[in-house]
Amino acid sequence: MSISERKEREKESRRQEILKAAQRVFFRNGFEKTAMEMVAEECQLAKGTLYRYFKSKEELYVSLVQDGIEILDKMIVRELQKPLSAEEKLLAAVKAHFDFTQLYHEHFMVFKMIDVGALSGKVDQEKLDAIQRARATAFERMKNVVAEAIKRGEFKTKHRPQEIVMMLWASSFGAIMMCGEKCQQFEMFKEVDAEKFVMRIARGLIESFKTANVAEEPLSHRASPVRTKKTDKVSEVENEVNI
Amino acid sequence: MSISERKEREKESRRQEILKAAQRVFFRNGFEKTAMEMVAEECQLAKGTLYRYFKSKEELYVSLVQDGIEILDKMIVRELQKPLSAEEKLLAAVKAHFDFTQLYHEHFMVFKMIDVGALSGKVDQEKLDAIQRARATAFERMKNVVAEAIKRGEFKTKHRPQEIVMMLWASSFGAIMMCGEKCQQFEMFKEVDAEKFVMRIARGLIESFKTANVAEEPLSHRASPVRTKKTDKVSEVENEVNI
DNA sequence: TCAAAAAATGACTCACAGTCATTCTATTGG
DNA sequence: CCAATAGAATGACTGTGAGTCATTTTTTGA
């Protein structure tokens, strides 16, 4: 051990201090309304110092959620450990995902920003990959539940387990997002109990997996790019339809 | 008519010129990488002039999609006019929504930004409301289809029509988002044909509406706020579960 | 033709991300 | 104990871009 090791520990703990301060400031004011100066002040360091630990404002922000991802995974694991049927387990996992977004909604904010692409290009790919891996863990667990359910005949669907989880995941994500406070675009989503809403979708989907009378196309590989039209004007559609 | 009217026409047409130029620049470079100077240059005006027509960069950006919303509605209408069953109509509407996001994906970008909350507070509420109303139109149409389907017994669900459309809408939205290029977080979503993926979810959900063996909770009104915990640390969950 | 109103301008302010020459601190070798 | 040296911290500085506003240019109406 000794010097160089201690140095490293100290550096790491300083890093953690910065993260804690940053969390307080970012989560209080949001990403855009936070200046690096504010973070610097919160942890009693000079602005320049922050850049010795984090490459950019975005990178610092994203770093805030790396442990948040573990939390999500753990919340899901906790559900999957219980002795439940596959259907119940999946529902519990979706519920856990939902709870996570409510309990740690600032973390969820970051995920949203990532998913919308607002941070891409501004953060090290390595960091994004780490988050991806962590999220994939939770994903993998759900996949296994489905795989078993199919093997045991509890689900009759011809979808591959991965696709099933993807469907659940994407739907929940959309539902949670639409119910969020910031998404003020549809009043109606405000009048709905977000949890019930999310769970209802999940239940509906799972139901369809069990019965599997949905017409199946084979597997799904990305087709050729769709985007043919490149209009600057709102031409075509404009003229075709008259209400 | 005469002067004041002509003035108004001229003002409006200048506004349109700015919008066209802004569209070119914004859609080429994205919101963040576009400077108002660039837009000004594109339409051969001074930067200050832009601010006589639009209150802020965000406002200008959002204004770009106001006609885009009409397009979406029209694309959906076009499908709903065809002589189809309710199920087919709904699927066609979802497909139209999907096509819209692919054909006009810059418009969709703006919607995403709105829904993520990245623009809230920076744009006139009036403007956001206008967008909301326009989006609600498409929504209303789908709602009617469902209402009829329920009346005719084609759907057996006990969900209210509005809730059904919300479920479809939110799920599609999530699915489309996850499949977007910018959402690089899950490799697996890249390997999937986005259209098939979206449609599969929709089909699954609709299937569940038809059979309605999903356990129904009553109607859904937002419960009391969930957020109880306010931890700065990753305490609780951290210790409870060990993998 | 000219005064008043409206529109356009671009130099300016301000805020903030990110940099870097300088200062400070701790370690080490003599 | 005292330099010499390396590494960490600093904050003044630069660059960029949003938004403003006093001034200029254009239009209108008498």
Side-chain angles (χ1 to χ4, degrees):
Chain A
M1 56 139 69
S2 81
I3 303 155
S4 69
E5 272 186 28
R6 195 206 61 205
K7 274 269 168 106
E8 212 155 307
R9 268 205 318 281
E10 276 173 7
K11 195 157 186 199
E12 179 54 27
S13 88
R14 169 128 301 175
R15 212 185 108 95
Q16 291 303 326
E17 274 171 43
I18 295 175
L19 281 171
K20 272 179 81 167
Q23 186 163 97
R24 263 171 280 147
V25 182
F26 273 121
F27 288 0
R28 181 160 56 239
N29 310 316
F31 178 73
E32 253 133 46
K33 283 182 184 159
T34 297
M36 287 301 263
E37 274 293 2
M38 295 160 75
V39 177
E41 198 170 339
E42 179 82 18
C43 56
Q44 319 234 46
L45 289 170
K47 184 165 61 147
T49 309
L50 300 185
Y51 285 90
R52 291 185 48 74
Y53 293 84
F54 300 93
K55 261 181 48 190
S56 70
K57 186 183 173 187
E58 282 82 6
E59 177 121 358
L60 173 55
Y61 188 56
V62 167
S63 302
L64 293 182
V65 302
Q66 278 191 292
D67 45 341
I69 289 169
E70 283 171 32
I71 302 177
L72 171 59
D73 185 48
K74 284 173 183 168
M75 286 174 76
I76 287 180
V77 168
R78 185 160 54 177
E79 295 305 315
L80 297 188
Q81 282 174 338
K82 294 178 185 168
L84 300 167
S85 69
E87 175 173 5
E88 288 165 326
K89 276 187 182 177
L90 281 186
L91 284 172
V94 170
K95 171 71 163 52
H97 191 190
F98 172 79
D99 286 343
F100 171 76
T101 65
Q102 303 306 107
L103 245 29
Y104 299 89
H105 71 57
E106 292 92 351
H107 286 83
F108 186 56
M109 273 295 305
V110 184
F111 290 162
K112 279 196 291 186
M113 280 182 69
I114 294 175
D115 288 344
V116 153
L119 300 176
S120 67
K122 298 195 161 188
V123 180
D124 262 5
Q125 193 56 42
E126 198 197 341
K127 187 148 292 227
L128 291 179
D129 287 350
I131 291 179
Q132 181 184 14
R133 272 196 305 279
R135 271 171 123 180
T137 308
F139 214 101
E140 211 59 32
R141 294 185 203 286
M142 289 173 72
K143 212 166 110 181
N144 292 336
V145 171
V146 175
E148 271 182 43
I150 291 178
K151 212 179 293 169
R152 283 207 315 276
E154 192 178 336
F155 287 179
K156 302 263 189 290
T157 180
K158 272 167 246 140
H159 298 307
R160 279 159 30 206
Q162 165 150 313
E163 286 163 358
I164 291 199
V165 181
M166 283 166 71
M167 288 162 76
L168 276 174
W169 193 277
S171 305
S172 314
F173 191 90
I176 295 169
M177 216 173 111
M178 295 295 248
C179 291
E181 305 167 34
K182 288 297 183 59
C183 177
Q184 313 158 319
Q185 304 326 305
F186 287 100
E187 294 296 339
M188 61 188 97
F189 282 97
K190 288 226 177 110
E191 289 153 23
V192 145
D193 180 322
E195 180 183 328
K196 283 184 192 167
F197 183 64
V198 172
M199 296 313 290
R200 217 172 248 195
I201 291 178
R203 233 177 278 122
L205 276 177
I206 292 176
E207 185 64 21
S208 81
F209 300 150
K210 285 199 300 191
T211 59
N213 22 6
V214 172
E216 303 292 84
E217 308 197 17
L219 85 177
S220 23
H221 268 310
R222 172 150 277 164
S224 58
V226 195
R227 188 160 227 278
T228 337
K229 204 162 75 179
K230 256 289 187 184
T231 34
D232 225 0
K233 256 270 121 228
V234 184
S235 49
E236 195 176 316
V237 189
E238 196 90 287
N239 308 319
E240 274 184 36
V241 185
N242 291 305
I243 315 172
Chain B
M1 56 139 64
S2 82
I3 303 154
S4 67
E5 273 185 28
R6 196 207 61 205
K7 271 265 167 115
E8 214 155 305
R9 267 206 319 280
E10 275 175 7
K11 196 158 185 200
E12 180 55 27
S13 87
R14 168 129 301 175
R15 213 186 107 93
Q16 290 304 326
E17 274 171 42
I18 295 175
L19 281 171
K20 271 179 81 168
Q23 187 163 97
R24 264 171 278 146
V25 182
F26 274 120
F27 288 0
R28 182 161 56 239
N29 310 315
F31 178 73
E32 253 132 47
K33 284 184 184 158
T34 297
M36 288 300 264
E37 273 293 4
M38 294 160 74
V39 177
E41 198 170 336
E42 179 83 18
C43 55
Q44 318 236 46
L45 289 171
K47 182 164 62 147
T49 310
L50 300 185
Y51 285 90
R52 292 183 48 75
Y53 293 85
F54 299 94
K55 260 181 48 192
S56 70
K57 186 183 173 187
E58 282 83 4
E59 177 121 357
L60 172 55
Y61 188 56
V62 167
S63 301
L64 293 183
V65 301
Q66 279 192 290
D67 45 340
I69 290 169
E70 283 170 33
I71 303 177
L72 171 58
D73 184 48
K74 283 173 183 166
M75 286 174 77
I76 286 180
V77 168
R78 185 161 53 177
E79 294 306 316
L80 297 188
Q81 282 174 337
K82 295 178 187 170
L84 299 168
S85 70
E87 175 174 3
E88 288 166 325
K89 276 187 183 176
L90 282 187
L91 283 172
V94 170
K95 170 70 162 52
H97 191 189
F98 172 79
D99 286 342
F100 170 77
T101 66
Q102 305 304 107
L103 243 30
Y104 300 89
H105 71 57
E106 293 92 349
H107 287 83
F108 186 56
M109 273 296 305
V110 184
F111 290 162
K112 279 196 291 185
M113 281 183 68
I114 293 175
D115 288 344
V116 154
L119 301 176
S120 67
K122 299 195 160 185
V123 180
D124 263 5
Q125 193 56 42
E126 198 199 340
K127 187 147 293 227
L128 292 179
D129 287 350
I131 291 180
Q132 182 184 12
R133 272 196 305 279
R135 270 171 125 181
T137 308
F139 214 102
E140 211 60 32
R141 294 186 203 285
M142 291 173 71
K143 212 166 112 183
N144 293 336
V145 172
V146 174
E148 271 182 42
I150 291 179
K151 211 179 293 167
R152 283 207 315 276
E154 192 179 336
F155 287 0
K156 301 264 189 289
T157 180
K158 272 167 246 138
H159 298 306
R160 280 158 29 204
Q162 165 150 313
E163 285 163 359
I164 291 200
V165 181
M166 283 166 73
M167 288 162 76
L168 276 174
W169 194 276
S171 305
S172 315
F173 191 89
I176 295 169
M177 217 172 111
M178 295 295 247
C179 291
E181 305 166 35
K182 289 296 184 61
C183 179
Q184 313 159 319
Q185 303 326 303
F186 288 99
E187 294 296 340
M188 61 188 97
F189 282 96
K190 289 226 177 109
E191 289 152 24
V192 145
D193 180 323
E195 180 183 327
K196 284 184 194 166
F197 183 65
V198 172
M199 297 313 290
R200 217 171 248 196
I201 291 178
R203 232 177 279 122
L205 276 178
I206 292 176
E207 185 65 21
S208 81
F209 301 147
K210 284 198 300 191
T211 59
N213 20 7
V214 173
E216 302 293 82
E217 308 197 15
L219 86 175
S220 24
H221 268 311
R222 172 150 275 164
S224 57
V226 194
R227 189 160 226 277
T228 337
K229 204 161 74 177
K230 256 287 186 185
T231 34
D232 226 359
K233 255 270 117 227
V234 184
S235 49
E236 194 178 316
V237 188
E238 196 89 287
N239 308 317
E240 272 183 35
V241 185
N242 290 305
I243 314 170

